[in-house]
């Protein structure tokens, strides 16, 4: 079981995941894999 689930790994989601992990929380990040560089 995870403490935090973050939907979207953009700048805000990635930052939230880093801060949560540093705080010792078990973190899950879910992303669709269609970032800005992959859409072009």
């Amino acid at each position: 079981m995870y403490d935090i689930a973050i939907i979207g790994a953009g700048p805000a989601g990635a930052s939230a995941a880093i801060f949560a992990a540093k705080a010792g929380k078990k973190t899950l990040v879910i992303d669709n894999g269609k970032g800005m560089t992959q859409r072009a």
Side-chain angles (χ1 to χ4, degrees):
M1 190 62 72
Y2 293 95
D3 297 321
I4 298 173
I6 298 170
I7 310 300
S15 177
I18 290 170
F19 279 101
K22 285 184 179 180
K25 303 296 180 184
K26 193 170 179 185
T27 306
L28 172 68
V29 179
I30 300 172
D31 190 45
N32 65 0
K34 294 184 179 178
M36 292 300 291
T37 59
Q38 296 175 350
R39 292 182 191 164

